[in-house]
Amino acid sequence: MLSILIPVYNYNIFTLVETLYKQTLECNIPFEIICLDDASQDFIIENQRINQFNNSSFSILEKNIGRSAIRNLLAQKAVYENLLFLDADTFPVHNQFISNYIEAIKKNEKVVFGGILYENKKPAKELLLRWIYGRKREALSLADRIQNPSDSALVSNLLIKKEIVVRFPFDENLTKYGYEDLLFFSVLKSNLIAITHIDNPVFHLNLETSALFLSKTKTALQNLVFLDVSNKISKKESKIIASFEFLNRLKLISVFNFVFRKLETKIERNLVSEKPSLFLFDIYKLGCYCFLKSK
């Protein structure tokens, strides 16, 4: 009935799998838990303990294949028609996490996003940007999420029918971090596949340092440029692309680039500080995107 699929890279997922295993056993359904490690080096011994659970497996790929390809591979390996994708650094908020998804399956929902939360406790200074961004931009209430179902869903906590992933697999041209979710849900939307939102969140636990988050953001923007120039998404589906097009129509790209380069270091200092501004983070992303598009 249910295949729980977890892509792993340098993260200890034993406690996550142990919790999911216990919850799923209580539901008394056919299930499997498949964990694939994308050729990482850490926590191998800890994660291999997963193989002691019935219907559960942890295995390691010989070479890194990327975030999209590993999800497609997990889907291919899955035995059951209902797939639950979970990121390695998530953890169920409620003890009824699996049973809530079983109820959605019984209603024959095709694609279901349960939501994501961040812990209330303020983290260390060097982790603040990712925490603040996550709480303000990702941890949306159910009422907010259902206003824009495709735009507010994430693959980090997603129940989906296997046949949909087979028909519309994750784009393996995206081998680096960033915007895989945007493209995947854009494809579903264009094919009139509805996304149901329920209140069944996971905590996102692993916070990168602000410096690392900025670095990963720059990498992600390379993907966004690729998606734009290859016409894989509509320009309306990204606020960054829409803002770039607005500046371009006003012939202000070169002016914006010049000003941004003058202020970039100051903006970065704010973003790694104790009071990072999400407004400046948006300016930062637009500035980096404009630079990449101008190359």
Side-chain angles (χ1 to χ4, degrees):
M1 184 184 195
L2 180 64
S3 295
I4 301 173
L5 309 177
I6 307 175
V8 189
Y9 188 74
N10 285 337
Y11 203 80
N12 186 342
I13 59 167
F14 179 79
T15 302
L16 169 62
V17 173
E18 182 180 39
T19 299
L20 295 170
Y21 181 77
K22 290 177 179 177
Q23 285 194 20
T24 313
L25 274 182
E26 291 174 358
C27 292
N28 195 28
I29 59 166
F31 75 95
E32 63 180 349
I33 302 175
I34 306 176
C35 310
L36 275 185
D37 189 298
D38 205 3
S40 61
Q41 303 297 319
D42 298 332
F43 304 108
I44 302 302
I45 295 176
E46 295 91 333
N47 289 335
Q48 283 177 336
R49 295 166 57 206
I50 290 166
N51 292 310
Q52 69 182 292
F53 299 127
N54 293 331
N55 310 318
S56 304
S57 66
F58 171 81
S59 56
I60 308 168
L61 300 179
E62 292 185 359
K63 64 177 182 178
N64 186 283
I65 62 174
R67 295 161 61 91
S68 294
I70 198 170
R71 288 190 175 115
N72 289 335
L73 183 55
L74 282 163
Q76 292 166 18
K77 289 179 174 291
V79 171
Y80 299 111
E81 61 184 296
N82 301 293
L83 312 181
L84 176 56
F85 282 105
L86 289 171
D87 278 1
D89 58 357
T90 61
F91 199 85
V93 174
H94 304 300
N95 292 331
Q96 297 78 33
F97 177 73
I98 294 297
S99 62
N100 288 340
Y101 274 133
I102 299 303
E103 289 303 311
I105 291 172
K106 290 178 179 178
K107 294 176 182 177
N108 200 32
E109 302 286 5
K110 305 297 184 185
V111 186
V112 185
F113 176 58
I116 192 165
L117 293 178
Y118 286 75
E119 294 181 307
N120 290 328
K121 184 179 178 181
K122 190 175 182 179
K125 168 190 169 182
E126 62 270 16
L127 306 174
L128 279 173
L129 178 60
R130 185 68 184 92
W131 181 72
I132 292 173
Y133 178 84
R135 284 168 61 86
K136 296 291 186 181
R137 301 289 174 81
E138 295 176 345
L140 303 177
S141 68
L142 178 59
D144 287 334
R145 286 191 275 124
I146 60 178
Q147 300 302 314
N148 296 290
S150 297
D151 297 340
S152 56
L154 298 169
V155 183
S156 53
N157 178 20
L158 188 74
L159 178 72
I160 187 169
K161 296 294 184 183
K162 178 174 179 175
E163 58 97 5
I164 293 178
V165 181
V166 171
R167 285 170 59 205
F168 308 107
F170 294 93
D171 193 325
E172 297 186 11
N173 288 307
L174 298 182
T175 57
K176 299 178 181 179
Y177 166 87
Y179 293 102
E180 310 99 319
D181 295 27
L182 174 64
L183 177 57
F184 182 70
F185 290 114
S186 171
V187 171
L188 297 190
K189 183 178 181 180
S190 65
N191 285 277
L192 305 179
I193 296 175
I195 300 167
T196 301
H197 286 256
I198 64 174
D199 188 16
N200 196 33
V202 293
F203 284 120
H204 179 219
L205 299 177
N206 187 34
L207 299 175
E208 304 102 346
T209 65
S210 299
L212 178 57
F213 187 44
L214 290 182
S215 176
K216 292 176 71 173
T217 296
K218 289 181 178 180
T219 300
L221 289 169
Q222 295 175 19
N223 277 352
L224 189 61
V225 170
F226 167 74
L227 295 179
D228 181 33
V229 299
S230 57
N231 294 315
K232 287 181 176 286
I233 60 171
S234 162
K235 296 185 185 300
K236 297 179 181 179
E237 292 180 285
S238 165
K239 292 180 180 179
I240 295 175
I241 296 176
S243 298
F244 173 85
E245 293 298 324
F246 176 74
L247 291 174
N248 196 35
R249 287 195 298 271
L250 297 178
K251 302 186 184 303
L252 292 175
I253 296 296
S254 59
V255 174
F256 183 83
N257 273 336
F258 176 79
V259 174
F260 176 71
R261 288 301 163 197
K262 292 289 186 182
L263 298 176
E264 183 177 8
T265 301
K266 289 184 178 180
I267 293 174
E268 287 180 342
R269 280 203 295 266
N270 169 267
L271 296 178
V272 299
S273 73
E274 294 183 20
K275 295 183 179 181
S277 163
L278 291 186
F279 171 75
L280 289 179
F281 186 48
D282 290 338
I283 297 296
Y284 185 81
K285 288 191 291 184
L286 179 58
C288 292
Y289 183 83
C290 288
F291 175 75
L292 290 169
K293 286 282 287 186
S294 301
K295 289 175 66 176

